[in-house]
Amino acid sequence: MNLKELSQDESLGMTIIVKTIARLVMSFIILFGCYIILYGHITPGGGFAGGVIIAIAYVLMMLTFGGKVAMAKLDNFWASMWDNIGALAFVVLGFLGLTGGHFFLNFINHGTPGTLISAGIIPLANISIAIKVGAALYAIFIGLSVYGRLVTEEEK
Amino acid sequence: MSLYVLTMALMGMGIYALIAKRHIIKKIIGIVTMEYAINLFLILIGYRTDGIAPIQDSQISAVELAARAVDPLPQALVLTSIVIGLGTLALMASLAIKLYEKYKTFDMSEINRLRG
Amino acid sequence: MTVVTLLLSKASARIADITAFLTAAVTTVIAFMLIGSPVNTYWMGNWFPPFGITLVYDGLSGLMLLIINLIALLSIIYSFSYMEKYTAKPKFYALFLLMLAGMNGVALTGDLFNLFVFLEIASIASYALVGFGVEHQELEASFKYLILGSVASTMVLLGIALVYAMTGSVNMADVASTLAAMPAKTTIAFAAGVFLMGFALKSGLVPFHAWLPDAHPSAPAPISAMLSGVLIKALGVYAMVRVMFNVLGAAPIYLDIMLVLGAISMVIGGFLAVGQFDLKRQFAYHSVSQMGYIVLALGLGTPLGLIGGIFHLINHATFKSLLFLASGAIEHATGTKHMKKLGGLKESMPVTSTTFVIGSLSISGVPPFNGFFSKLIIILACVQAQQWLLAVLASIASVITLLSFLKAMKFSVFGQVPQAIAERIKEVPFSMAFSMIFLAVMCLGIGIAYLVAGPTFTDIFLQPAADVLMDGLENGSANYIATVLGIGG
């Protein structure tokens, strides 16, 4: 499933210009999303916004290359599985706070405010929320477009 | 003051779209507009005139930040509310697709098998 | 546990059954053991209020937790065999547990915005559950329920925004103490009106009841039992009462509005229910009517009224769930809900028809079942508060309830078995029967327990809850505020 070869294929998805640009831009989108997530406790953004941005990279791939390529890269089962892993990680973080005596306690060393490694469990919570939101948003897109269209095509 | 009135007018537009239109997608747009109007109202409550963003970096001290910043609590509440709105929108959109498959129409006045 | 269920269900479907059952069993046992323990708070993440979210356990929360978890456990046992005819059973359990988590959160929270978040979690899970078997009517009912429920949640959020603008905090105890010190303002009255509208829509009072007769019959039977038995109470009545009484400080005008809404719901729900021929739709209209009873009793504001309202809340949870489970069993065995096509189930389905008769007698207020005592207390409270018209209306509504349930029983249990379905009827599987028998025993048991040991029953279960509400009414929630802001977690 090499995207570079697929972008040369005329019959698949949109035109060749769109596919080439989308292929080049996707990695930058994911990089930007990771920046928003990791710096979520210092600058605005955080887990939810970063997760949406990462999901948008995959949605861009689905829009330009077509539903089948997107499903081959990340299909329904794995999207659901990443969703569950993100939620489970968040809940486990909450329960780990019980070691300090309270649910959701910020138990890791707080560090100096304003730097990257600081504020305890908040960056870890951001990462798990981003995984969950990204996977869930991608699963919604797959459910609405790929599965929705398949049924009406059967009727034709 | 006029900002609050405009926000309520936006919510009124959402309610109008929900009540007066018969197409399912227009009703969904009405509900989403209504929810976002309330989110906007909630953010506007925390606004302070000529305020700065409630982010502390090395140039500003904590006391000055507390005196000049806008209120960050409504922003956290609105973040949660937007996510809830997203979940509801996803559910509404998938229900609209399923309803079209079953009833073959988007007109709400024809989807009335349950009566009485 | 929702996530664990989803993960494990990829392996096998049986595991989903066991996971859901264990979760509900554990929460029920915990809720039962906590009855009678003193008021307690818990600070999330060790942030003291009003900066952090607190979880508050007092008499009212404890009672709601017990009812919610017990009915959920029985519904899960029931749905072991009932949900075999639907395809995605593990997803059903996942959504069910999500709804249960949302309701438990609503019962326990001490923070207004947290209440909104849990309200939305439980509501969205229930929207998806109503349309679970994707047929025509279920989708239509789910969509109508979704639209009206979203409007209600938006109204609740508007109320929270207004309260935050006036007081600067969303913690319930903090808002209560700030509002007690502030003179009355019209913004707070507007916020109270908006809250009443949102929560009345969630609990199905007239004129906000339009989603209820569509949503409750179309859902699968255990979901109907959960919706009508606990969801409209936990999300609607409990939240309304907690916000009105403890947070906003109940002014007499709010109590009058609750009285009017309750009275109208009682009468109109009863009248609309008599003419129905669909079994579950009739039960849904009766839910509207009984919600009117509860809100009427709670709106009276006297100690006896509060006890009557809370007692009727417990009783309605038991017998309405029993009725919906029984009608689901009838539909499971015969394939129809229409009364004119049923008949004579007494010989072929003894367990179902016996429990159905017990449930009908309880809701109509026949002694010695529990419905009689709670309705008696409500009527006596009306008389004591010198609201003669309301007492008469309550009695009339009770007679109309009896009338419509006699009709339901005549058509379905007694009479001749029609030829079309005579061969197919057999008794329901054990898991469904177990839940129905348990609820029927509870109906009878609560009634006899109240008859025999009335004052002790009241002291253990009902009085702590009524005390919390009286505290809100009389002395501005002083106890509640002292509990949350005073002692540590």
Side-chain angles (χ1 to χ4, degrees):
Chain A
M1 283 266 106
N2 197 349
L3 280 182
K4 187 166 179 183
E5 294 157 9
L6 280 176
S7 59
Q8 311 282 350
D9 190 359
E10 290 284 328
S11 65
L12 188 65
M14 297 194 174
T15 63
I16 183 170
I17 300 180
V18 177
K19 282 193 284 192
T20 313
I21 297 292
R23 179 173 60 86
L24 290 173
V25 159
M26 255 177 62
S27 42
F28 283 107
I29 296 179
I30 297 184
L31 181 66
F32 184 63
C34 288
Y35 161 70
I36 297 268
I37 296 170
L38 285 175
Y39 275 77
H41 53 284
I42 305 176
T43 56
F48 178 64
V52 171
I53 293 177
I54 290 189
I56 286 199
Y58 281 96
V59 169
L60 180 66
M61 182 173 69
M62 183 169 76
L63 283 178
T64 53
F65 284 92
K68 293 201 182 59
V69 174
M71 293 286 282
K73 282 273 180 193
L74 187 68
D75 65 340
N76 202 13
F77 174 77
W78 276 107
S80 173
M81 195 56 69
W82 279 112
D83 189 358
N84 287 342
I85 289 176
L88 207 58
F90 193 70
V91 173
V92 162
L93 269 178
F95 273 109
L96 280 181
L98 276 176
T99 63
H102 265 87
F103 195 70
F104 259 118
L105 177 66
N106 215 346
F107 63 96
I108 305 181
N109 189 14
H110 284 242
T112 57
T115 64
L116 185 57
I117 312 285
S118 60
I121 59 171
I122 295 184
L124 300 174
N126 272 339
I127 296 175
S128 60
I129 288 292
I131 295 176
K132 174 164 180 54
V133 170
L137 209 56
Y138 179 68
I140 291 177
F141 262 99
I142 283 193
L144 285 181
S145 69
V146 173
Y147 284 114
R149 196 174 300 162
L150 279 177
V151 179
T152 51
E153 270 177 6
E154 277 169 16
E155 294 173 10
K156 292 175 193 165
Chain B
M1 185 61 196
S2 59
L3 281 174
Y4 292 116
V5 172
L6 283 177
T7 312
M8 285 297 124
L10 188 64
M11 181 171 171
M13 278 193 268
I15 296 181
Y16 168 74
L18 179 60
I19 297 178
K21 303 289 179 185
R22 289 187 306 181
H23 198 269
I24 285 186
I25 305 292
K26 295 184 186 175
K27 282 187 195 273
I28 294 179
I29 293 178
I31 292 182
V32 169
T33 310
M34 217 166 60
E35 278 182 14
Y36 284 175
I38 298 298
N39 291 341
L40 196 58
F41 183 70
L42 199 49
I43 295 182
L44 272 179
I45 287 177
Y47 182 64
R48 184 181 293 184
T49 318
D50 291 335
I52 57 175
I55 301 173
Q56 182 181 29
D57 47 5
S58 48
Q59 284 113 4
I60 197 164
S61 73
V63 175
E64 195 180 338
L65 194 70
R68 285 183 54 195
V70 295
D71 197 354
L73 180 62
Q75 299 178 0
L77 303 182
V78 165
L79 207 64
T80 314
S81 177
I82 291 179
V83 177
I84 293 176
L86 170 73
T88 313
L89 177 63
L91 190 59
M92 279 194 275
S94 45
L95 267 182
I97 292 182
K98 279 287 182 188
L99 270 179
Y100 184 73
E101 284 174 23
K102 295 285 177 184
Y103 283 90
K104 298 291 181 291
T105 175
F106 270 128
D107 194 352
M108 196 69 195
S109 57
E110 295 180 18
I111 304 179
N112 53 1
R113 286 203 195 177
L114 293 172
R115 291 175 178 264
Chain C
M1 292 317 284
T2 309
V3 168
V4 173
T5 310
L6 273 177
L7 273 178
L8 291 178
S9 71
K10 306 284 183 190
S12 105
R14 258 305 148 192
I15 295 189
D17 283 346
I18 302 176
T19 318
F21 173 70
L22 280 177
T23 313
V26 163
T27 46
T28 310
V29 165
I30 292 178
F32 199 71
M33 288 195 307
L34 285 176
I35 289 280
S37 64
V39 182
N40 209 354
T41 63
Y42 187 80
W43 295 344
M44 293 275 279
N46 214 12
W47 292 96
F48 58 92
F51 294 121
I53 298 178
T54 49
L55 299 178
V56 179
Y57 178 88
D58 56 3
L60 190 57
S61 309
L63 197 60
M64 292 304 300
L65 276 182
L66 181 62
I67 301 176
I68 292 171
N69 289 315
L70 188 61
I71 306 283
L73 179 65
L74 292 171
S75 295
I76 287 183
I77 296 179
Y78 184 88
S79 57
F80 280 164
S81 38
Y82 184 81
M83 297 301 292
E84 288 295 333
K85 20 179 229 196
Y86 294 92
T87 49
K89 201 169 170 204
K91 295 201 179 80
F92 171 79
Y93 283 120
L95 282 170
F96 193 98
L97 286 176
L98 199 59
M99 190 170 77
L100 184 62
M103 280 194 282
N104 280 340
V106 168
L108 270 179
T109 182
D111 183 274
L112 273 178
F113 195 73
N114 210 10
L115 178 78
F116 173 70
V117 170
F118 277 120
L119 191 86
E120 279 294 279
I121 292 177
S123 298
I124 294 182
S126 67
Y127 305 149
L129 278 173
V130 164
F132 193 71
V134 280
E135 296 297 321
H136 289 85
Q137 277 139 340
E138 310 195 12
L139 288 175
E140 174 192 343
S142 175
F143 192 70
K144 286 184 188 172
Y145 179 26
L146 200 158
I147 291 186
L148 287 172
S150 295
V151 172
S153 304
T154 310
M155 290 293 145
V156 169
L157 188 58
L158 177 61
I160 294 178
L162 288 170
V163 166
Y164 177 72
M166 282 295 121
T167 59
S169 159
V170 279
N171 196 358
M172 280 189 196
D174 202 22
V175 169
S177 60
T178 317
L179 281 177
M182 200 190 288
K185 294 190 177 183
T186 39
T187 314
I188 299 296
F190 181 59
V194 166
F195 271 130
L196 263 177
M197 195 188 117
F199 291 131
L201 207 150
K202 289 282 181 194
S203 59
L205 299 173
V206 172
F208 306 111
H209 70 291
W211 57 274
L212 217 149
D214 289 335
H216 286 201
S218 313
I223 298 301
S224 291
M226 281 295 286
L227 275 181
S228 196
V230 269
L231 194 85
I232 54 178
K233 292 189 199 58
L235 295 190
V237 176
Y238 168 78
M240 182 197 298
V241 162
R242 178 69 82 181
V243 167
M244 285 293 133
F245 283 29
N246 281 114
V247 175
L248 294 178
I253 181 78
Y254 308 147
L255 295 178
D256 284 342
I257 296 179
M258 281 170 75
L259 278 180
V260 169
L261 282 178
I264 298 179
S265 308
M266 256 185 350
V267 176
I268 293 186
F271 273 117
L272 281 173
V274 177
Q276 295 294 324
F277 276 105
D278 186 348
L279 206 60
K280 288 174 89 167
R281 208 173 163 89
Q282 191 183 55
F283 294 162
Y285 274 115
H286 277 297
S287 284
V288 173
S289 174
Q290 302 296 315
M291 279 297 123
Y293 264 107
I294 298 177
V295 171
L296 177 78
L298 289 172
L300 280 173
T302 61
L304 194 62
L306 289 177
I307 289 185
I310 296 174
F311 195 26
H312 200 67
L313 196 145
I314 305 177
N315 291 339
H316 184 250
T318 55
F319 50 65
K320 191 46 75 76
S321 316
L322 173 62
L323 284 172
F324 268 110
L325 292 182
S327 74
I330 293 178
E331 188 185 357
H332 182 85
T334 63
T336 175
K337 298 187 297 227
H338 198 98
M339 273 194 229
K340 290 203 169 143
K341 299 193 191 123
L342 294 173
L345 294 172
K346 196 162 37 120
E347 298 92 21
S348 41
M349 301 175 66
V351 171
T352 311
S353 47
T354 316
T355 49
F356 187 65
V357 167
I358 290 181
S360 310
L361 290 178
S362 300
I363 195 172
S364 317
V366 174
F369 296 106
N370 50 2
F372 170 69
F373 293 110
S374 55
K375 286 193 183 181
L376 188 64
I377 297 179
I378 293 177
I379 296 180
L380 283 177
C382 290
V383 168
Q384 190 189 48
Q386 295 176 345
Q387 305 268 6
W388 312 109
L389 178 61
L390 292 177
V392 169
L393 280 178
S395 318
I396 293 179
S398 185
V399 170
I400 294 178
T401 313
L402 180 64
L403 179 69
S404 53
F405 271 98
L406 280 177
K407 171 181 169 183
M409 279 196 287
K410 163 186 178 293
F411 272 108
S412 56
V413 173
F414 306 112
Q416 298 291 104
V417 183
Q419 276 308 109
I421 55 172
E423 315 82 42
R424 287 194 282 140
I425 305 179
K426 53 183 171 58
E427 190 52 72
V428 291
F430 172 69
S431 70
M432 295 162 70
F434 175 75
S435 302
M436 291 192 291
I437 295 177
F438 194 89
L439 278 173
V441 165
M442 255 177 71
C443 281
L444 192 57
I446 292 180
I448 293 187
Y450 196 76
L451 184 63
V452 167
T456 37
F457 181 79
T458 316
D459 278 337
I460 297 177
F461 290 106
L462 303 176
Q463 196 62 36
D467 279 341
V468 170
L469 295 176
M470 263 331 273
D471 175 40
L473 273 182
E474 287 191 342
N475 44 7
S477 315
N479 286 343
Y480 185 76
I481 298 173
T483 310
V484 174
L485 295 178
I487 62 177

